[in-house]
Amino acid sequence: MNIDGKALAQELRDTLTIEVKKLKDERNITPGLTVVLVGEDPASQVYVRNKVRQTQEVGMISNKISLPVETPQQALLDQLHVLNNDPTVHGILVQLPLPSHIDEALVIETIAPEKDVDGFHPINSGGLCNGDDGALVPCTPQGCILLAKKHLGDNLSGKHAVVIGRSNIVGKPVALLLLQESCTVTIAHSRTQNLPALCAQADILVAAVGRPEMVKSEWVKPGATVIDVGINRIPTEDGKGRLVGDVDYADVQPVAGAITPVPGGVGPMTIACLLKNTLEAARRFG
Ligand code: NAD
């Protein structure tokens, strides 16, 4: 069976729309999200456009700051200080990747942790590691957990989760969230041995690798819940290309208990969780 990320994201946005209105009515706070884009990377422009549209749709204030690709690092940091001190801005997101002359880690550390709705600031990643409820949690990993729960129910306790990928953006935080849910968690990566056999032990398999259709049916325990984070464009005869995940959907779908499709699985949940974080930031600090 499919876990429909599009539908779940819509459900979440519907709830957020109600909560945003409540915050306005009760405390006169309208959550505000500012997205900063440096340069003109086409994929980033699409992501930012979608974020802006969906922010407005749930009734939040959306601002976009577009800076030219040659923007000096210091100018970006100065801009972030202004946003940090602006009480109408509750969430700040700097669209990654940044041009190579800008130090990404420094930029992330410059965002006020309480406005870091991407959840990448060390204060937030440290908080997640320590199981601190106050930490803002990265959006894609949050989406993965909500999708797994959509199929399995809220109690994931005792399940064996295997996460393929150990990036700071997806692999590590999703593993920490699964641990918080009392799963037994294995983190696999490019040096892991016997990966197919390891994956075949998983009740919940999360693939966050960036390798098209790497996970095959023999890697999947019958009935397992498969969350496919990968977004890969593969060539097609018409030259347009096609998006596929890290899981070979056609091969795995008959074996899995449930699987997220690509597109329409994890992707839509990421922006919905960004809006959830922005509401949370506005509630706490507005
Ligand atoms: P990354 O390149 O930072 O990390 C990839 C990880 O995969 C690494 O930890 C590496 O050790 C591991 N890996 C690489 N080759 C492997 C192999 N052969 N066997 C086992 N492990 C291997 O990537 P990322 O930023 O974590 O993103 C992963 C994928 O998720 C990409 O396709 C990306 O586009 C996608 N993504 C999707 C969303 C979304 O909203 N759906 C968000 C972020 C990333």
Side-chain angles (χ1 to χ4, degrees):
M1 112 182 229
N2 256 349
I3 312 177
D4 185 344
K6 240 170 130 175
L8 188 59
Q10 184 61 54
E11 256 177 56
L12 183 51
R13 286 198 302 272
D14 290 346
T15 309
L16 290 172
T17 305
I18 295 166
E19 296 293 317
V20 167
K21 185 171 182 311
K22 216 163 120 190
L23 193 64
K24 268 188 217 172
D25 293 347
E26 290 176 3
R27 290 174 55 196
N28 201 21
I29 296 169
T30 304
L33 172 65
T34 297
V35 180
V36 182
L37 176 63
V38 185
E40 285 171 7
D41 176 59
S44 293
Q45 284 181 330
V46 174
Y47 291 141
V48 168
R49 217 171 21 243
N50 287 336
K51 283 169 188 168
V52 167
R53 182 174 48 79
Q54 294 188 27
T55 306
Q56 291 167 342
E57 276 171 14
V58 298
M60 296 183 183
I61 296 171
S62 166
N63 281 310
K64 180 179 122 182
I65 298 177
S66 293
L67 301 172
V69 68
E70 65 277 7
T71 301
Q73 174 171 290
Q74 192 54 49
L76 175 59
L77 300 183
D78 291 345
Q79 178 68 69
L80 292 176
H81 287 301
V82 171
L83 296 173
N84 284 345
N85 291 314
D86 182 340
T88 66
V89 174
H90 304 97
I92 302 169
L93 180 148
V94 178
Q95 185 65 44
L96 303 177
L98 287 167
S100 56
H101 68 279
I102 297 180
D103 177 350
E104 251 174 43
L106 180 62
V107 167
I108 290 167
E109 282 170 31
T110 303
I111 299 171
E114 65 274 16
K115 297 190 179 189
D116 165 43
V117 283
D118 247 346
F120 296 156
H121 190 289
I123 293 273
N124 284 317
S125 46
L128 172 62
C129 191
N130 292 347
D132 167 8
D133 283 347
L136 288 166
V137 174
C139 306
T140 302
Q142 262 195 74
C144 292
I145 302 299
L146 293 174
L147 287 162
K149 286 186 170 178
K150 179 73 184 168
H151 178 62
L152 293 167
D154 279 344
N155 183 6
L156 306 181
S157 174
K159 302 220 176 288
H160 184 194
V162 175
V163 178
I164 323 175
R166 57 174 161 180
S167 73
N168 289 339
I169 293 177
V170 191
K172 272 186 219 161
V174 87
L176 287 166
L177 287 174
L178 288 160
L179 193 60
Q180 262 179 25
E181 296 292 336
S182 298
C183 291
T184 303
V185 182
T186 304
I187 305 177
H189 48 79
S190 52
R191 306 292 170 89
T192 297
Q193 297 188 356
N194 302 326
L195 185 59
L198 189 70
C199 292
Q201 295 173 27
D203 303 308
I204 300 171
L205 180 61
V206 181
V209 191
R211 289 183 178 257
E213 301 181 322
M214 181 178 87
V215 176
K216 304 291 179 191
S217 56
E218 312 83 76
W219 300 34
V220 175
K221 178 158 98 175
T225 303
V226 180
I227 310 292
D228 188 355
V229 184
I231 302 178
N232 313 288
R233 188 167 285 280
I234 56 167
T236 51
E237 276 175 14
D238 62 8
K240 286 185 185 159
R242 185 166 66 91
L243 284 188
V244 297
D246 292 339
V247 178
D248 185 337
Y249 180 88
D251 191 38
V252 167
Q253 199 266 348
V255 179
I259 180 169
T260 60
V262 177
V266 175
M269 289 302 289
T270 297
I271 300 185
C273 289
L274 172 71
L275 304 178
K276 182 166 168 280
N277 277 353
T278 304
L279 173 66
E280 195 54 44
R283 266 197 193 130
R284 287 192 213 152
F285 305 107

